[in-house]
């Protein structure tokens, strides 16, 4: 995953840990702060539901038939391009209640790496006979970390 999760990236956690003389594990923090329904829904972000539509493997959360039809017209017969655009996710958009100026880019990049690893496991487990490309880009001036995946185009 690259750099480990740094407590300095977590202002609320750091403040609570400071009140407990630094003796606050991540799991204890979750036990005090996370609601069970939020944790359950988070599992769907980490290990997303997928749909297969006309040989395209797509994030179920992102799938919309009208949007799919639009991209099919834009990229006829190019499933990889359709998948890449429909599976395109900005990490900033996943946490709209987290002010970007409050959290460092490194935290968003850490979460992006975690998501990409989880998505890879999910996709490859469900479609072991297919080859996928997983991409993570991070451009601070271009709206932060971005993830996507698509099937390796046939040569």
């Amino acid at each position: 995953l690259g750099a480990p999760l740094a407590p300095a990236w977590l202002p609320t956690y750091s403040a609570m840990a400071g009140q407990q003389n630094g003796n606050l594990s991540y799991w204890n923090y979750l036990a005090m702060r996370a609601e069970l329904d939020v944790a359950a829904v988070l599992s769907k972000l980490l290990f997303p539901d997928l749909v297969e539509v006309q040989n395209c493997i797509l994030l179920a959360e992102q799938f919309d038939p009208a949007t799919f039809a639009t991209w099919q017209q834009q990229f006829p017969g190019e499933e990889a391009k359709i998948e890449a655009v429909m599976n395109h996710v900005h990490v900033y958009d996943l946490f709209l209640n987290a002010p970007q100026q409050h959290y460092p880019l490194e935290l968003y990049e850490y979460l992006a790496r975690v998501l990409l690893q989880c998505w890879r496991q999910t996709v490859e487990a469900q479609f072991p006979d297919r080859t996928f490309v997983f991409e993570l880009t991070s451009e601070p001036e271009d709206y932060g970390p971005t993830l996507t995946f698509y099937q390796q185009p046939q040569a």
Side-chain angles (χ1 to χ4, degrees):
L1 290 177
L5 181 59
W9 301 340
L10 311 167
T12 305
Y13 169 83
S14 293
M16 289 180 73
Q19 293 171 355
Q20 297 188 20
N21 298 319
N23 294 323
L24 180 64
S25 73
Y26 291 136
W27 285 20
N28 286 339
Y29 178 70
L30 284 172
M32 291 187 295
R33 300 268 308 177
E35 295 180 27
L36 189 56
D37 62 335
V38 171
V41 171
L42 181 61
S43 74
K44 291 298 186 181
L45 175 61
L46 293 169
F47 301 98
D49 293 328
L50 304 169
V51 295
E52 182 174 1
V53 181
Q54 298 182 29
N55 200 41
C56 291
I57 307 306
L58 305 168
L59 294 165
E61 188 70 26
Q62 300 274 99
F63 178 69
D64 172 71
T67 303
F68 182 77
T70 298
W71 288 115
Q72 271 190 309
Q73 290 175 343
Q74 181 79 24
F75 302 118
E78 297 185 77
E79 287 84 6
K81 288 184 179 181
I82 295 167
E83 290 171 328
V85 72
M86 290 199 67
N87 292 329
H88 180 99
V89 174
H90 293 277
V91 176
Y92 286 165
D93 289 341
L94 298 172
F95 302 97
L96 294 176
N97 286 328
Q100 292 170 19
Q101 68 277 10
H102 192 67
Y103 296 98
L105 176 62
E106 291 86 1
L107 180 57
Y108 288 97
E109 290 172 337
Y110 172 84
L111 289 170
R113 290 188 304 273
V114 169
L115 286 172
L116 199 65
Q117 182 175 345
C118 292
W119 290 6
R120 180 186 308 271
Q121 291 174 0
T122 300
V123 171
E124 290 177 349
Q126 289 186 36
F127 301 94
D129 58 329
R130 300 185 192 190
T131 303
F132 292 86
V133 175
F134 296 84
E135 295 180 352
L136 187 164
T137 57
S138 185
E139 304 294 332
E141 62 281 348
D142 190 31
Y143 202 54
T146 304
L147 309 169
T148 194
F149 67 90
Y150 51 92
Q151 292 179 75
Q152 178 70 50
Q154 300 287 328

